[in-house]
Amino acid sequence: MDELAVDTVADPTLDDPVVIEGLPGVGHVGSLAADHLLEELDEQTTLVRRIYSHAFPPQVSVEGGVASLTCTEVHAISPDDARDMLVFTGDHQAQHAEGHYVLADAYLDVAEEFGVSEVFALGGVPTGELIEEYAVVGAVTDESMIEPLEDAGVEFREDEPAGGIVGISGLLLGLGARRGIDATCLMGETSGYLVDPKSARAVLDVLETVLGFDVDYDSLDERADELEDVIGKIQEMEAQGGMDLPSDDDLRYIG
Amino acid sequence: MDELAVDTVADPTLDDPVVIEGLPGVGHVGSLAADHLLEELDEQTTLVRRIYSHAFPPQVSVEGGVASLTCTEVHAISPDDARDMLVFTGDHQAQHAEGHYVLADAYLDVAEEFGVSEVFALGGVPTGELIEEYAVVGAVTDESMIEPLEDAGVEFREDEPAGGIVGISGLLLGLGARRGIDATCLMGETSGYLVDPKSARAVLDVLETVLGFDVDYDSLDERADELEDVIGKIQEMEAQGGMDLPSDDDLRYIG
Amino acid sequence: MDELAVDTVADPTLDDPVVIEGLPGVGHVGSLAADHLLEELDEQTTLVRRIYSHAFPPQVSVEGGVASLTCTEVHAISPDDARDMLVFTGDHQAQHAEGHYVLADAYLDVAEEFGVSEVFALGGVPTGELIEEYAVVGAVTDESMIEPLEDAGVEFREDEPAGGIVGISGLLLGLGARRGIDATCLMGETSGYLVDPKSARAVLDVLETVLGFDVDYDSLDERADELEDVIGKIQEMEAQGGMDLPSDDDLRYIG
Amino acid sequence: MDELAVDTVADPTLDDPVVIEGLPGVGHVGSLAADHLLEELDEQTTLVRRIYSHAFPPQVSVEGGVASLTCTEVHAISPDDARDMLVFTGDHQAQHAEGHYVLADAYLDVAEEFGVSEVFALGGVPTGELIEEYAVVGAVTDESMIEPLEDAGVEFREDEPAGGIVGISGLLLGLGARRGIDATCLMGETSGYLVDPKSARAVLDVLETVLGFDVDYDSLDERADELEDVIGKIQEMEAQGGMDLPSDDDLRYIG
């Protein structure tokens, strides 16, 4: 296998599609959101590409005894009443800086093959505390893109995210801009400690407004409720003094 | 030396050989098993390739004052009454992710030179506790391969190994599948704390059933008995309260 | 994007320009000094190049909602009454050794496009204690360059800096010398614990003498005063026994 | 600069020279020994090559204010009454595994330009305790080389060094053998805690016997005596209970 290998699984014609990137990251917000889209719209969904790379961990996942090499999967979704989408998901981001650059360019190459001129990178922005109101913070490649997104409920803040955007979502904006592609990063606020379906829901609400698709959120809300129960029990135990607040490390594995 | 160098030592003609990979890993299960095959069948064994790589540690081993550069050795075994084998062993796996990919492809290239269409990657799967019954867990490149392996005693479990298979064994499956090679990973259950000859024996029992070779296990069983003695003494000391259970780090060096 | 990409933003003709390098480093001395030059001489300043590289972190910075890919910016300054300058600034140095070499050569390539034959790399040299008198220590590519710099107040010391000069500043000297470019490193003494505008001022004082430009230091002095206040309060609290001296880690984030 | 750059400083004709490698390593034994040769035979010594590489740290050293880019220096020594030598010294080994391979091959390329067919890699082997009798342990590329070296006082031991030989010395043997060059590693026993001139002396004693040169050891012995004084004082303080034995980290910086 070359350092980078893009396998074509199908090659449907898409109508002015947008890219949705939902690789793993803070609170798994982006991957929860993208996976939810794929599940809810699975009848309009086709797997079109698998992208393999030496920058991924040297690893197979195993399901029911059958091994699959780590890759990024690209699905095309053609909803009946909304814009076509090209959704990038997978279990891993690149393992090193150079790999992020190479993969971001590979993703954009695939996007351009399908005629994409607009990219939405989904992710989470950590706040360090449990969230009551799930705001969605935005970053864009051009100032003119801000106003319509604000109308859809996205917040743009002077100095956030403070450390910039690291990883594939950041590079889709940085390298997208160099190609003249309009790219937006939608970051759901999340504690940073938990897998966060509520934050994913907030991001999807924005995306739904922008792109016009229509999906059911029951399964995502259910998952959020289950998580609430877990958090509630933890807080109760803490209130009774029977347990210290879980450390960040503990929380990281809840959900 | 180029980044990768494959030295031809001998070039025998083999009859429909299978690859056996036994590089170091969890519990040294794979390397114990492969080395045992080479020792027991040494009269039918020929060293055919040495594979050097910049991805290996920059190191020579020294035996009796003579230095040898770190490499993977490939031996051909032609047993009288069983399928030919091509056995990959050595002191090291690659030191980084990209090296794993490059070496896995190099191994598969050598395999294809000899007409191989089937690969067995041997290893251990850590359970975190001492093992009573040594099960062998399997993973394959195609669902159709599961049934005959189950008949040979291999267990296929819904979600195991949970973290997938990392390193050369995983990639032989992942990259093998991309070449149309049937690859199987046989993972002996092992505590993960000890070099584990019993787990290696369990893996060889399966392999013997599948490939039909016939080897003696006395030396492997002896080594297992010695290890049992060590563990017994540790447990005794612990029972007398004279010593804490050895930590993982202590156990890692027993055997 | 290639591993290295140099975007031309403007291409003014410069008259015998010198390079000023002020990338982040010890006490942010070099970047404070270079940024101050750009601010004070902004009417004579033009952005001429952006240098992108896979050796930078995979990251965008976000200002007012708009993302910019990590890069080194090159500004040309043509002061009315002093030598032209080519100023290299940015948020990041390379993330690994090889990247430092590649970027240093890229910077020197840009410098040579503009006819540069002289380079000043600005930085700090850590002393481990708070500084009273801000000396500027020098290193050059040729012994003949020492005397005129000593006349401008630069100190050359037998064995300093003891560990040599690491990173981009060091390589501009090392690789500059190989191209026949006269390169000087001006290192302001600094505690190493704090962002240090006073040390940056000391470095600029030397540079002003050598290159003849004329800038106002009010904003830099103000920033230094604010920092003095913070340090004063810390020392007071310590004197009252109410607080331990801040550790290195604490101090690192002051300023 | 390319990833690797070999600058020719002089090109004398040498008569059947041997390589002496003395890069930094355990106890600085190899570099002390090689530097001592260069100092004592400096009138017969010529700098012939400088080898630069992206695998070295991105760094200049500074002496008397003048910066020099990190490199390996190659000196030719033509003693009146002994074999010519090509001595490799410098402040750094490569910073990563691949760099070690690339540099070892570069050194061997230079060696072959000068017609070298024999290499001596000098180093230390750590024993973990202070040494009384300084044995020199050997490793070679071919068994036939052992006997003459044993006659010169080198010890060959069944399983030493246990972990093999890591870094440039190991690779000069490993890659030298692949080119048909006879390579020997001479490892002076040393505690591993201290810069060790006595161990360097032991290695040079062997080398003197093998190659027939004749050098004075006063400066090396003096340095050893100074070190003995320091160790003596430490042991005295410890005997008086006034001080704990210095930790490994303390000792690492003595000398």
Side-chain angles (χ1 to χ4, degrees), chain B residues 1-7 50-71 92 95-96, chain D residues 96-98 100-102 105 138-143 146 156-161 163-167 170-171 173-175 178-179:
Chain B
M1 195 187 90
D2 292 335
E3 277 184 47
L4 181 81
V6 181
D7 287 7
R50 283 198 191 91
I51 302 172
Y52 301 93
S53 165
H54 286 187
F56 286 133
Q59 193 169 338
V60 290
S61 57
V62 181
E63 267 190 60
V66 180
S68 322
L69 185 57
T70 293
C71 70
H92 297 280
Q95 298 297 287
H96 49 72
Chain D
H96 50 72
E98 175 147 28
H100 281 295
Y101 281 93
V102 171
D105 266 321
V140 292
T141 47
D142 192 275
E143 213 180 335
I146 292 180
F156 289 84
R157 300 174 181 171
E158 194 43 39
D159 291 316
E160 285 194 28
I165 306 171
V166 181
L171 287 191
L173 271 70
L175 295 174
R178 284 176 56 84
R179 295 179 184 226

Side-chain angles (χ1 to χ4, degrees), chain C residues 42-66:
Chain C
D42 70 330
E43 290 184 13
Q44 293 97 325
T45 292
T46 316
L47 176 64
V48 296
R49 295 285 187 278
R50 284 199 191 90
I51 302 172
Y52 300 93
S53 166
H54 286 186
F56 285 132
Q59 193 169 340
V60 290
S61 57
V62 181
E63 266 190 59
V66 180

